[in-house]
Amino acid sequence: MARIVVLGGGESGCGSAVLAKVKGFDVFLSDRGAIAPKYRGQLEEWRVSYEEGRHTEELIFDADEVVKSPGIPESAPIVKALRERGIPVVSEIEFAGRYTDGSRTICITGSNGKTTTTTLAYEMLRQADLSVGLAGNIGQSFALEVATEYFDWYVIELSSFQLDGMYDFRADVGVLMNITPDHLDRYDHKLQNYVDSKFRILQNQRATDKFVYCADDPLTLENLGRHDRNMEVLPFGVKCTEGCAASLDGDTIRVRVDGKELSIGVDELKIKGVHNIYNAMAASIAALSAGVPPESICQTLRTFTGVEHRLEPCGEYGGVQYINDSKATNVDSVWYALDSMRRPTVWIGQGQRLLAALPARRRPGQDIGLHGCGQCEADARVRGTHTGDRRHAFAWRSDGGCGAERRSGGYGVVISGLCEFRPVQKLRAARRTVQSLGGETCRREKGPVRRFGPVVRRVPEACGFERPVHGGAGSRPVR
């Protein structure tokens, strides 16, 4: 009996262990940290041997193959030791892909938009009564779904970390939303390494498969010629003039795949903003490729309201709308969020170089106030002045921290999960309204205290936040 060792006891690792058990392998799971009770119970239910708090080398090096969880980097000592011994190390997606038994896959990756696009594509297939599962970097692990259920289609969100351990896996429909610098610490701080990781989405594709990509994305276009394209190529974009499977004609989205066409007005979409036009285009191409009728796709687009933690309305207090955007963990995703705002907006983020990266481009009449640790320094860089005397202004004030003289029309407060800040020249603009708040001010002021990442924040009790708000997709405001 072949021996499979799984590294990591989270969603991905436990799913891989269950699948290995179902397929008759001798399975052992090792996690250097503590395994959450939910996953410990799952392992015990399936009678999988495991350890936590350590990596016992003699038990791990006895493996015929190792399935590595995506959160474990290649630089980890245990992974290096496995490579030196010639023991194969693969990802959960690679391992689970061997047992799909004829099911087809829609695999979606990108620096931004992949969760919304994945969920939207899944809803399009589900509402058309296709047999479909949602897996990968969202929902259940792909391996667990393969182990315990069967679907004709799997819609899978793939991070670059999951793509890195894929070698023979092939996507029937591969979707690359965009590429912007992210997670570079995992890629030797080399952008090209990260780009190459994202392009693994099209590896092994055949002539009957489809590769969907954004024709408006510079890094995607720059690197497209470096890869074989034997599959059907389906570009999309709002700037496309010809040759695109999806394009914007005035205020109408038009999509054409395999002789099937659909058109829908931008104002008919429930989800707003140019980023969601891209998401709708990519999801529609994928759904048409899976055989979903055009009228069913349009109906889903008219009713889909988005995903949790991505521009998610949380309530209104004193004329200020509060929005949970904690899934926005990089500069571009925050820019798209701010660009979609149609009322004066206060943005709350975290990080040591806040605002140096994110004074977003300003539309006529748009007003963005930005709050977070390190703002005084950022003020000087953005406006050429130091505005430390304005640190008293903050979002918990009923006027959104923007001054009573500018309250007309109401304000929005966007709470972001962004914690990596890099200078992005395209986002800079003069005349941006910038207000300052530092962690010291938060600690000094009175009022109900809530923790937002590493910096103390305050939000109105009436807005419905009844427990700590943390940046990241795991946060869940209580209403």
Side-chain angles (χ1 to χ4, degrees), residues 417-432:
L418 180 62
C419 55
E420 297 181 29
F421 300 96
R422 295 170 298 277
V424 180
Q425 295 300 325
K426 70 172 184 176
L427 298 182
R428 292 196 168 195
R431 298 178 300 177
R432 174 67 62 189

Side-chain angles (χ1 to χ4, degrees), residues 251-264:
D251 291 325
T252 301
I253 298 171
R254 301 193 186 278
V255 187
R256 179 183 176 88
V257 178
D258 295 336
K260 295 176 290 186
E261 298 183 31
L262 70 85
S263 61
I264 185 170

Side-chain angles (χ1 to χ4, degrees), residues 206-267:
R206 306 172 301 197
T208 53
D209 300 323
K210 292 177 169 61
F211 174 50
V212 183
Y213 71 91
C214 180
D216 296 342
D217 185 63
L219 274 175
T220 300
L221 295 180
E222 286 174 20
N223 288 271
L224 203 57
R226 302 175 65 244
H227 300 270
D228 293 332
R229 298 191 301 280
N230 300 319
M231 73 299 290
E232 183 179 357
V233 177
L234 299 171
F236 65 93
V238 301
K239 302 173 184 176
C240 282
T241 54
E242 57 183 37
C244 280
S247 58
L248 192 62
D249 181 8
D251 291 325
T252 301
I253 298 171
R254 301 193 186 278
V255 187
R256 179 183 176 88
V257 178
D258 295 336
K260 295 176 290 186
E261 298 183 31
L262 70 85
S263 61
I264 185 170
V266 171
D267 59 351

Side-chain angles (χ1 to χ4, degrees), residues 273-327:
V274 66
H275 61 298
N276 280 319
I277 295 177
Y278 286 116
N279 297 340
M281 287 177 172
S284 297
I285 294 172
L288 282 175
S289 299
V292 178
E295 58 272 17
S296 178
I297 292 173
C298 290
Q299 181 59 30
T300 303
L301 288 170
R302 293 186 185 103
T303 57
F304 181 73
T305 57
V307 299
E308 283 188 322
H309 318 302
R310 182 59 171 142
L311 289 176
E312 180 185 15
C314 297
E316 191 162 311
Y317 177 75
V320 180
Q321 182 184 27
Y322 288 81
I323 300 170
N324 176 3
D325 196 42
S326 57
K327 272 193 69 65

Side-chain angles (χ1 to χ4, degrees), residues 361-397:
R361 285 179 293 186
R362 180 176 185 261
R363 295 190 310 273
Q366 188 185 27
D367 191 8
I368 300 288
L370 302 162
H371 292 279
C373 181
Q375 278 190 297
C376 292
E377 175 187 354
D379 281 350
R381 300 179 69 174
V382 175
R383 305 178 62 197
T385 59
H386 192 289
T387 57
D389 58 322
R390 299 176 64 193
R391 286 186 291 176
H392 64 282
F394 188 47
W396 60 270
R397 285 174 33 176

